[in-house]
Amino acid sequence: MDLQRIRNFSIIAHIDHGKSTLADRILELTKTVSGREMRAQVLDTMELERERGITIKAQAVRVNWKGNELNLIDTPGHVDFTYEVSRSLQACEGAVLVVDAAQGVEAQTVANAYLAIENNLEIVPVVNKIDLPQADPDAAAAELAELVGGKPEDVLRISAKTGEGVADVLDAIVERIPPPSGLVSAAAPPRALVFDSSYDQYRGVVAFVRMVDGAFAAGEPLRAMAQGTRFEAEEVGFFSPTMKAAETLGAGEVGYVITGLKDVSRLRVGDTLTSERNPAAEPLPGYKDVKPMVFAGLFPTDSDDYPDLRDALERLKLNDAALFYEPETSQALGFGFRCGFLGLLHMEIVRERLEREFDLDLLVTAPNVAYRVLERSGEWLEVHNPAEMPRELDAVEEPYVRASIIVPKDYVGPVMELNNDRRGRFDHMEYLSPERVLLAYELPLAEIVLDYYDQLKSRTRGYASFDYDVAGFREGALARVDILIGEEPVDALSMIVHRDAAYSRGKALVERLRKEIPRQYFDVAVQAAIGSRVIARETVKAKRKDVLAKCYGGDISRKRKLLEKQKAGKRRMKQVGAVEVPQEAFLAVLNLNDGSKK
Amino acid sequence: MRPTAFGGKQLRAFDRSWPGLTAAPAKPPRPLGGIASDALVRHLYVHLPFCAHRCGYCDFVTVVGRRGQHAGYVDGLLAELELERELLAPELETVFLGGGTPTFTEPRELERLLAALPAAAEVTIEANPETVTPALAELLRRNRVNRVSLGAQSFQPELLGVLDRVAGPDDVRAGVENLRDAGFDNISLDLIYGIPGQRPSDLAADIGEALGLRPEHLSCYELEAKPGTRFTHAHGEELRRQAEAMEGYFECVVEMLIGAGYRWYETANFCRAVGGRDLRSRHNLAYWRGRDYLGLGIGAVSTVRGQRWRTTPRLGPYLAALREGRRPLRELELLPDSVQREERVMLGLRLDEPLPFAAVAASVDAEALTRLERLGLAQRVSLGDGEPPAAPGALTLTPQGRLLGDAVTADLLA
């Protein structure tokens, strides 16, 4: 195919602004799928994606439009997958930026637009959902033009739902987005960017690639340049929208390579594939190893399910290279895994898939971030679990994020207050329109992993939109707070908090625990401590009476059932020393801010 | 729960507290040929459901008013007794007439019933103080009743008001006096503590008043807010609020009664421990020792040879069945050995007498027992039959353990 007739593009949008619907319409209009095959949101194949209306795994589809080959590279719609989004964008020359005509520009729109601009993409701005009664296409178009530095009249106005204006979008893609450039010559050392991968249980890892230079043929020995993984291309082809094998994949084209690899971790998104016979000297720029930033312990509610949890994680990992896990033993919660995620949504998705697809009952500990610790020995150590944080250390670094928050101007005050509470550093503020304001902050990731988003929504009546990306590690005045129940330290309840907040968090947690721990045969002290210094203490008073007064002939069966219930309740308790602690108590730290803030 | 057992809505409401039983018009266990006499039932419960009115806290099977049906109900009881007679030993140890308010039953009908019931060493009747006239006391005496359990509940008029009780403190005193005059030498008083608004001084005053009447026996119950009662609806919230303030009341009751020379022989029951008489309730001891018992009347429960059944609580169907010579509908529950053992532990540990260990060992968690011994809540004791002290063959709870009996039992059961 003549490079001049190829266009590679993505659709980027805030969640629910209609990206998938637009993709569906494009497939229909280009007759890539027949009306009969058309299901809503063809590209979202996973059950969860369809249900939540978000795209988790990027996909790429080839469509034909007026003699041109258009490759639509779908991107995941959430901040946690920014790296995947940026890889997808790197495989394109242009992006269709979609904004809901009723909602206007949102935080994610901004983040995506910046990402596209950073990748030198030509942006085709589109206002969608103009058929909605509450739509204000003029206002949305003005915001969008402001954002991408164009003119409002260049913003296309469409309804992906009704199909109105979708043909214009396709025309604009052909007209405005430049064709790919690259070394077309068959003799050129081939280079292809891996922008995503998936795992097929029969055929192994399937790499989604954008050919930059040269061509790959089926059967060719290939190599991933960053990781050095070698394999043979069992098949090459493209999506239309299902996999269609081809003899070769040429420069500028988007398609897939079936690798036969049995382990997704051996082929990372962002890596460059080249030919073993005619290797390129330099890989494509920009490969980066994505590192999980949010960690949590996953424990089976029933310890007998531990092997099932291990198998399930192994299988999830096949399709999700970013998922990290290692065995963890907690004296309170037993055997489980410490898992690392890209962000909160990623964690939520993994947890839901484990519970839904693998039918596991899980206890998930409060999430924490990764810390870098300078030990007395002078060595830097990465810590994923508060319980592993050394008590003696020289310095601690924690991850910070660049956060963009877009709110109606009336809510600027409450959002600033929230960010100040969360150790945020104000960066700048922009008026997107007379009504809406973009606030840029730097925030410690640790301050947003627990309940930041809920707080943000409740303080702005749901109007705020929020996005972030990781900015790097910064030193922080952090302390490890341990919790002792009846003199026994409880690893699962240790937390790392800013020194200024240690006292109030420690106090809040022991108060919470006093309420969660049922009264025992003896007084139980619940303490929060930094090192050996106790900073808060509560007592769960011993119970003095626990017996049903009456028990005669007619009461015996009822009484026995009550006793069995009481016994079953005890069985669900975890033993901490001599104290029985309900599993829910280990989640107390998750809900620390309930009611304590407005 | 299968409400179809007895059909109507009434059961569903009544049945909330009754764990899921097999619904069947159960046949009673058939006595086998040549069965040993100790396999025959020696304890009989007779339910007399009639009441002048329903007290707010009550969740027993009661029938308010319906004076016209008393005769028919006694006919029903006697017909049921005939149907079950083959289960009963020729000589009974105890008969217990409970309610309802048994003494609210028409005197003529009550007398007809008492005269027709089998003789027993202990015959107890429950009575509300205001019903105990000299004439009634005389009637009971003449019909071999030798123990009366009087529902005093409290001596504070305002607390009695909270409980919807009709009797005042003077009625209680008069009732006891009438019984004494008629020659009764085994009187039990029921007291309720933990009544909304009850102060520690009220509790002390109640116990003082009760002791002043020198009852042979006292039952002291903490007020339970049973789900679905009018009382819980009105006072449940308040009870929860004051729960912590009142949790010491039980301890207080125990201390005061022991101090007055009473024996705390069961969680909620106390008897005078003077003069060499065993004044424990023999009938209730049978429940706590896991003996078989037969219950007659609506809602009555029987446990015989590993089967437990509860008769329909509905008066109409009960009477209709018996008029036709049929057994009324019952809910049946089978009690496998393991369940019987658990119940032995659960009930036996309510008593101050040691529970022989061998029979229940399979249901006891040895590790838990060791832990509870260390905490001073349970102890292994000698049965006193000359066994070596190294092998104590019985189990008992310490006074502290008895206050926490439910939690301790839940721990102990394997």
Side-chain angles (χ1 to χ4, degrees), chain A residues 519-522 541-564 566-567 570-571 575 578 580, chain B residues 17 19 221-222 224 226 247 250-251 267-269 284 287-288 293 308 310 333 339 342-343 347 350 377 403-408 410-411 413-414:
Chain A
R519 297 166 67 191
Q520 319 264 323
Y521 296 128
F522 39 84
K541 293 296 252 177
K543 63 182 161 194
R544 295 170 69 181
K545 171 186 181 297
D546 183 356
V547 64
L548 266 194
K550 245 182 212 179
C551 189
Y552 300 109
D555 309 316
I556 298 172
S557 287
R558 174 178 82 105
K559 172 86 163 67
R560 194 187 71 237
K561 298 281 173 182
L562 287 174
L563 195 65
E564 279 164 10
Q566 197 167 0
K567 208 168 72 176
K570 279 173 178 283
R571 251 187 237 119
Q575 202 78 27
E580 285 168 340
Chain B
S17 65
Y221 307 121
E222 183 177 41
E224 252 186 279
K226 299 231 173 110
E247 71 168 339
F250 183 31
E251 241 173 292
T267 302
N269 285 281
N284 291 333
Y287 296 139
W288 299 319
Y293 52 93
R308 178 170 299 147
R310 166 172 277 200
E333 181 185 15
V339 168
E342 275 176 34
E343 290 188 350
L347 297 166
R350 294 177 69 89
L377 299 172
L403 295 173
L404 300 164
D406 286 353
V408 171
D411 272 343
L413 287 176

Side-chain angles (χ1 to χ4, degrees), chain A residues 141-163:
Chain A
E143 284 185 8
L144 200 42
E146 172 76 26
L147 177 67
V148 302
K151 286 180 285 198
E153 53 269 32
D154 292 337
V155 177
L156 301 174
R157 299 166 184 219
I158 68 162
S159 165
K161 198 168 122 207
T162 66

Side-chain angles (χ1 to χ4, degrees), chain B residues 47 71-85 295-300 311-312 314-330:
Chain B
H47 192 71
Y73 186 72
V74 169
D75 288 344
L77 285 176
L78 296 178
E80 195 184 9
L81 172 63
E82 277 325 299
L83 288 174
E84 310 304 347
R85 171 96 54 190
L296 301 179
I298 57 171
T311 303
T312 174
R314 298 176 66 205
L315 186 58
Y318 172 81
L319 295 178
L322 287 162
R323 268 196 305 270
E324 290 164 24
R326 287 186 290 112
R327 293 198 163 90
L329 278 173
R330 295 161 163 182

